[in-house]
Amino acid sequence: MGGRIAVTPRSLSGAGHPALARLVERGFEIVYPAPGRTPSEDDLIRTVPGCVGWLAGVEPISNRVLDAATGLRVISRNGTGVDNLDVAAAETRGIAVERAVGANARGVAELAIALLLAGFRHIPWSHDHLKKGDWQRRIGREVRGRTLAVIGCGAIGRDVVDMALGLGMEVIGYDPYPGHSFARPGFRFAPLAEALRLADAVSLHCPPAGRPILDAGAIATLRPGVVVVNTARAELIDEGAMLEGLDSGRVQALATDVFVAEPPPPSALLSHERVILMPHAGGLTDESVERATRVAVDNLLKVLAQ
């Protein structure tokens, strides 16, 4: 073995990680295109040529980058999603694409539940006012007995289901490929329209499709006062329709950890007082980073040993 391996996730490129030592022990040289930040296309085109492996994050990987990646044999994601690159285009160029399936599921699921509770109890709003010396209170709602729609029931969604059931919620799941072996008291699968119509809260855990799941039509069917949590992809929500939903009171709160551009530019939606923001940190826990890095390194070594 031997050659260069690019490492681009911000959680690894700034401070490194002990699991990367395994690559060095196997004779590989680690390079960081943009230490501590998301690399630009120019950063990648400058660094990736000549690399045999790439431990990649969520940064966009364009066809220009793939064209420049001469000698690259494998892209190993430190997460599950691969919508930041064209997998078929990579494979056509002889580049294998590997994913760390389920490695960050617990971290993302816990954040989704935290955001859910923050939306029901107005935690960020209360915090902001009290920090300014403004003693105000908003009446909240308890989640026990309320219905949560979990859209996408893969590893993350299923963890969210279990946690929500533990809080005493009723949970309806929607998945285009439901796992019928996944059964819990208080949980059932349903068509998307039914899940949204019955939900007091919605948590999104699926990849983007051709159109937003929560567009104006879907938002109009939600129960008044619904809390929406998005730790999946920003494209799942129509921003204009969501802003209208918040202004009308149809949506009590939107809590999101994902954005079309990161960092996002200012917008009317993001500055709304009932929008709760996190900087794409769902998988940014000690435990999730450890699991995802270990799996991503395993996948690199598996492919490069062939």
Side-chain angles (χ1 to χ4, degrees):
M1 290 189 186
R4 298 197 309 157
I5 292 179
V7 175
T8 51
R10 288 170 294 176
S11 58
L12 304 178
S13 64
H17 190 278
L20 300 178
R22 294 174 53 210
L23 299 173
V24 177
E25 292 167 0
R26 299 291 185 92
F28 295 103
E29 175 191 358
I30 298 176
V31 295
Y32 301 99
R37 61 179 175 85
T38 299
S40 66
E41 185 181 61
D42 287 342
D43 291 329
L44 297 174
I45 289 174
R46 183 175 60 251
T47 308
V48 170
C51 289
V52 296
W54 181 352
L55 201 166
V58 296
E59 65 280 349
I61 301 174
S62 67
N63 283 341
R64 286 187 64 219
V65 172
L66 294 175
D67 287 338
T70 54
L72 186 64
R73 295 179 55 196
V74 56
I75 297 172
S76 181
R77 277 279 290 111
N78 72 331
T80 300
V82 289
D83 49 294
N84 60 324
L85 77 152
D86 186 332
V87 174
E91 293 176 343
T92 296
R93 292 164 172 80
I95 303 168
V97 177
E98 298 285 337
R99 304 183 300 156
V101 177
N104 64 1
R106 182 73 187 191
V108 177
E110 287 189 2
L111 179 62
I113 293 296
L115 293 173
L116 174 74
L117 294 172
F120 270 92
R121 297 304 303 270
H122 313 290
I123 292 173
W125 181 90
S126 301
H127 169 86
D128 289 343
H129 280 272
L130 198 52
K131 288 280 282 189
K132 294 182 290 188
D134 183 16
W135 181 273
Q136 292 197 49
R137 299 192 300 172
R138 271 183 177 170
I139 190 165
R141 292 180 291 160
E142 297 174 4
V143 299
R144 184 171 60 181
R146 300 194 181 274
T147 300
L148 172 65
V150 176
I151 311 303
C153 294
I156 298 170
R158 292 182 182 196
D159 274 355
V160 169
V161 169
D162 286 336
M163 293 180 201
L165 291 172
L167 291 170
M169 302 187 79
E170 297 291 322
V171 186
I172 302 174
Y174 166 75
D175 197 290
Y177 307 102
H180 294 291
S181 62
F182 183 73
R184 301 285 191 276
F187 169 79
R188 66 183 177 89
F189 285 106
L192 177 61
E194 180 183 350
L196 294 178
R197 178 173 53 83
L198 297 177
D200 298 297
V202 177
S203 194
L204 300 172
H205 302 285
C206 56
R211 53 179 290 181
I213 285 179
L214 292 182
D215 58 12
I219 290 172
T221 69
L222 298 173
R223 287 180 172 175
V226 69
V227 172
V228 176
V229 176
N230 188 8
T231 55
R233 291 293 184 270
E235 293 83 358
L236 296 172
I237 294 176
D238 181 307
E239 291 193 0
M242 179 56 67
L243 182 59
E244 291 181 7
L246 288 160
D247 286 341
S248 70
R250 170 74 62 179
V251 180
Q252 173 175 298
L254 166 67
T256 185
D257 185 42
V258 288
F259 309 91
V260 174
E262 297 184 355
S267 72
L269 178 64
L270 299 188
S271 62
H272 198 286
E273 70 167 1
R274 294 201 309 281
V275 172
I276 303 166
L277 305 176
M278 284 289 291
H280 204 155
L284 195 61
T285 66
D286 288 339
E287 296 83 358
S288 287
V289 170
E290 174 67 29
R291 287 190 297 267
T293 305
R294 187 170 62 249
V295 173
V297 168
D298 287 343
N299 287 337
L300 281 171
L301 293 174
K302 176 187 68 177
V303 174
L304 293 174
Q306 296 172 358

